Structure formats: structure tokens, C-alpha cells
Amino acid sequence: MDLKSKIEKILRKFPYTISSEIRDNIVFLYGEVESYQDWVEIGLAVGKIKGVEGVVNKIKWEGYPEEKIRKREERRKKLYEENKDKIIREYDVVIIGGGVIGTIIARELSKYKLKIALLEKGSDVSLGASKANNGMIHPGVAPPKNTLKRKLNVKGNAMYDRLCEELGVRFKRVGSLWLITPRTLQKYRKYLPGPLYKFVSAYVFPYIVKLKGIINGVKGIKVIRGKKIFEYEPKATRDAWAALYVPSTGILDPYELVVALAENAQANGVEIHLNTEVVGFIKQEDKVKGVVTTKGTFLTRYVVNAAGVYADEIAELAGAREYTIHPRKGVILLFDKALKNWVRHCVAELRFPAPKHSKGGGINPSIHGNILWGPTAVEIPDKDDTSVHREEIYEVLERYKNILPEFPTNKLIRYFAGVRAPTFTEDFIIRPAKWVRNFLHVAGIQSPGLASAPAIAEYAIEQLKKMGLKLEPNPNFNPRREPIPTINEMSLEELNAKIKEDPRWGNIICTCEMVSEMEIVEAIKRGAKTLDAIKRRTRAGMGTCQGSYCTLKIAEILSRELGVPLSEIVKENNGKLFDGAVRGEKL
């Protein structure tokens, strides 16, 4: 059966008239459906067909935001006309997107003699999914065969020890502990009477999972039972029949990593342009000649599209649309550091079949001592929807309560959401564009994207080389980056010496996280210009009181160091902290 016939067969299963068009194994879908969920399900069904390399879903659903899309397109066209003739400079490579993928590719490219620009529409790097995940470096057991996820996950995981040591980023291999309980194979219980159910769950299923991990290249997986489980996790549920221990799982602070990558890339010659939104491209035949932004036009020989949830729209602007992003929100709960001894590993309860489009989530320690629950996985139509609702919080609590039954959930101090950027093929898309010769897609990067990031960067550079980019080593490349010193990690002698150098080291601004004035000043010197940028670099405001004590103090330091009125201090992305004059200022 040819590809067209396979697609038509799948589409006939849905109660709608949907037409399709195939171009170079990219499937374009057209029609109308009743709901957004139907739009998602049709796209996913087509994306699963062998031979389909991308799905561009142009189907409309009831409530389709046509007017919003029209206004966005009109705005981009207006900004394009205003800025296309303002030439900034000429580059070898322009990277679009300042998340972990954009910044790690920028750093990897800075190893060569190239003129590189990274464009980020936000006021800081790491403002998308990179700042709103649990910081888990997945071991690589979950990705299915014949996927880039599988190829790059294990390789990327193994690269983190050296990468984090070079960048001064805190990283720890805590390992995963996956519990097998009476709920693990619940769907199949009716087929496995009595003791047979427990035998299959506790003695057969763990080895199936272990075998999958071994095939994927994950080392050191162990199956444990009985008291051994509680030596690993003393507070785990007592109804655990068995568990799998995977030692290579790691944890880090994702935005600390992105900031470090950006700083190191910048130190090695990469230009980072913030508040710079891409609104179009200047093309000559089938090549991009310039990237048009709200700041002007960046002439370039190659473009790397690492724009996350907006990668499909950026590709559309370039005439390189080969996929549609369907946003998937994940909610995470953050608990107080006082509970840090409640969990030692990344702990999850295995459920088979796994929740749709998700590896299942769990309870994880953070590199700073907090405990994280989540994430969820919910399809949403709005790429910018990071809201968290009461029912979503209860869903997380209900979903993971069996892992640590006695956990004091009243110590919740924060909840947040990130939006993943999957395509309908549910795999990474890292390849040259089919219809634009110098445009590289780095799209569909969802979990395990963070774990795979170092390998993704290497793979992307290989693709650029195949596209014709000449790579001459940069003899001045310095892989090392010094982090901001933190008084939390200083001995008393070291702190006293620092205070003698500058008394601001002894002025504690954030008492929850023990952040000094000098750490905040150093963050500002390194480019932090907003309240949240300070928070990501120093953790000031991330403690138990969530900034109720230190926010105004940080704003005052920002005002002083940046030389702007207090009323002009921004929380994030041009959102001012204060609404009106402050302390007698005249606006």
C-alpha cells in the first residue's frame, strides 16, 4: 500500500471530510472538525504512519482563532516592511531561539571560526520550556526504536558530567527508582488471576523494561525487591513489589544551564540579541539571505530554527513549513526545602500502558533541595498558556500520592507550567529543510530534549556541515565559564575574605535562599535586567516566602545598577513590576 492509500485509510476512521496532500513525504491536511482534540488526534494518527516525515495540520476546528492569527500575520507583515532595509550585520549562522537547544548549538558553533548571532524574542534566554521543566536528565530507557530521541538521549546523558564541569553548573546523578506496584499492570489484571498477576508484575515485567533499556544502550539497570527497595527510598509506598534502579539519571537546574551556555557562547564570540523577534525572511530563489526582525535584518549564510513552540511558524515564514507544533502543557508542583530528605532519587510508579504522550512523570529532588511533583501532559491550543488551575494541582497530587503516601503536601510553595513543542510524528526533527537550502530545522524538541541537548547540538552541527558550512576550529575557544560565587557554598573563612573585599557580600537580600547583594550585582553585570532574570541566576525570591521579603530590595538594586527609575523595573518581558509612580516619581 502506498503512502497516499495509508493516509486515506486512516482518515476514513474519523467522521469528517479531510483531504490530504503529500509533498516529499510531508503530509498537508485540510478540512474542518468539531474540536481541538479531534484536530490533535487526526494529526497524531497520520504522524504514526511509516514514511510520513512531517504533518502540517491546516484543519480548522470549532473555535479556531482565525481573527487572532490574521492580526498576528498583519503585525508581522507591518514589522517586516519597517525593518527589512535596516541591515544589522552579516553572519555565517543565525540561530533563532534562546532556550537550551539554541544556546547549546550556539556554544557548539563557537568552537569554530564563525560569525554567529542568536536571536531571542524575549527579554532573557530560557523563557520557554527550558525554564519550566523538572531539570531531569533522563537515562534513555523510554524513547521508542527508530527515533532520533532514542539515538540522542543516551549519548546526550553521558555528556553532561564534562559539560557541567566546564560551565560550572551544578549536576548530580541521583538515579531513578521506578516502582512496580499492584497498580502497574492494572489494565491486564482481569487476564491474570490471583498470584499470576503478582508474578507477572513483579518478576516478568521489570525484566521487559530492563531489556528495553539495555537495547537502548542504558547501562547499570538493576531489578530490586523486598527490603532493598526501602534502602534506596525509605519513605516509598510499602505496597511496592519490585523496582528498577537506573543509575545514570541526573538532575540540574535547567535555566542555570541555559544561562551558562549563553554566557560561554558569548565569551567565545557569539552575539546574543534579546527582545529581537523574527518577523520574516529575505530570500533569493531557494535560499535565505536575511532574517528580518523587530531590530532590523541579519544577513546570513545559514539559519538554525530552534524556536521551540514557534518553530512551525518560523518555518512557515521561510517557506519551509514541514510540521505543525501541537502545544502540550505540563504542570509541576514545587515543595519546600524542608522536605529534601523525603526523596533521594527520581521516583516514579510504573504504569503500563503509560499515560498518553508522556513517560508518566513522578517525584524528583531538585539540585537545590526542593521536591518536584509532575509534570502532567495536556494538549492545549494556546502556545503561551502557562496558567495553572486548581483542578490541575489536585490532578498532580492525586496522580503521584501513591508513591510517597505520607508526604506532607501542605508544604507546597509554588506551582508552574511549561509548554512542550511536539510535532505530530512525536520525534525530534533535526534536518535540512526540504525546500530552503540553507535552513536547518531543530524542532519537535520535547522530553527527553534536555537530556539529549548536548548530542542534539553535535548532530545539528553535523547537518550544517553536510549543508556546506565550512568548520575551521577556533584556536581561542575557551570551554570554561566561572559561575557567580554563592555565599551558600562558601566556608566561613571564604565569606569573611569576600566581605573584607566588598561589604556587599555580607548584605543578605534573600534570607530564604541566602543570596547576598553582591551576587545580585554580579548577575546584573552579566546581563540580568529583569527581576526574574535575577531570580534565575541567583535564586533570590525562590525560597519559602517566594519573594515576599526580598522583591522590593532586588528592584531597588536593579534600579541603582541600571540607572533607571524604580517604576521602570521589569519583572519579565516588558511587564513592569510597579503600576505607577514609586516614592514620589513623576511619570
Side-chain angles (χ1 to χ4, degrees), residues 92-108:
D92 295 302
V93 184
V94 167
I95 302 163
I96 302 170
V100 66
I101 302 304
T103 53
I104 202 165
I105 290 173
R107 188 213 186 224
E108 190 69 21

Side-chain angles (χ1 to χ4, degrees), residues 39-58:
W39 178 85
V40 172
E41 292 303 325
I42 291 170
L44 288 170
V46 173
K48 288 178 183 176
I49 298 171
K50 188 175 181 180
V52 171
E53 295 180 28
V55 178
V56 180
N57 195 341
K58 292 182 174 289

Side-chain angles (χ1 to χ4, degrees), residues 316-466:
E316 179 86 52
L317 292 172
R321 180 73 174 271
E322 299 175 21
Y323 45 83
T324 292
I325 302 294
H326 55 105
R328 185 178 291 147
K329 185 169 75 168
V331 172
I332 295 175
L333 310 186
L334 179 75
F335 292 88
D336 196 278
K337 282 183 179 180
L339 306 179
K340 66 180 179 180
N341 293 325
W342 269 81
V343 65
R344 300 173 180 177
H345 308 83
C346 295
V347 187
E349 180 183 32
L350 286 187
R351 298 287 187 99
F352 186 81
K356 221 172 189 182
H357 317 310
S358 170
K359 291 185 298 300
I363 298 177
N364 304 333
S366 81
I367 200 70
H368 302 291
N370 300 95
I371 304 297
L372 301 162
W373 285 35
T376 56
V378 180
E379 301 287 348
I380 56 169
D382 185 351
K383 294 177 177 181
D384 298 314
D385 180 10
T386 56
S387 61
V388 180
H389 304 285
R390 181 188 296 267
E391 58 271 19
E392 292 175 308
I393 295 172
Y394 287 138
E395 179 188 344
V396 175
L397 294 173
E398 182 65 26
R399 184 167 170 180
Y400 304 115
K401 68 179 182 180
N402 291 320
I403 297 173
L404 301 176
E406 304 301 320
F407 189 89
T409 54
N410 61 329
K411 295 291 186 180
L412 175 68
I413 61 171
R414 184 81 174 182
Y415 45 82
F416 57 92
V419 181
R420 306 172 183 89
T423 67
F424 287 113
T425 55
E426 291 292 333
D427 195 10
F428 302 156
I429 294 178
I430 308 171
R431 62 174 183 243
K434 292 176 181 289
W435 312 307
V436 181
R437 281 195 291 154
N438 58 342
F439 190 96
L440 180 68
H441 297 294
V442 188
I445 311 299
Q446 56 171 320
S447 182
L450 180 63
S452 307
I456 287 174
E458 284 193 354
Y459 190 82
I461 273 63
E462 288 173 15
Q463 301 306 305
L464 286 168
K465 188 176 180 180
K466 290 176 183 177

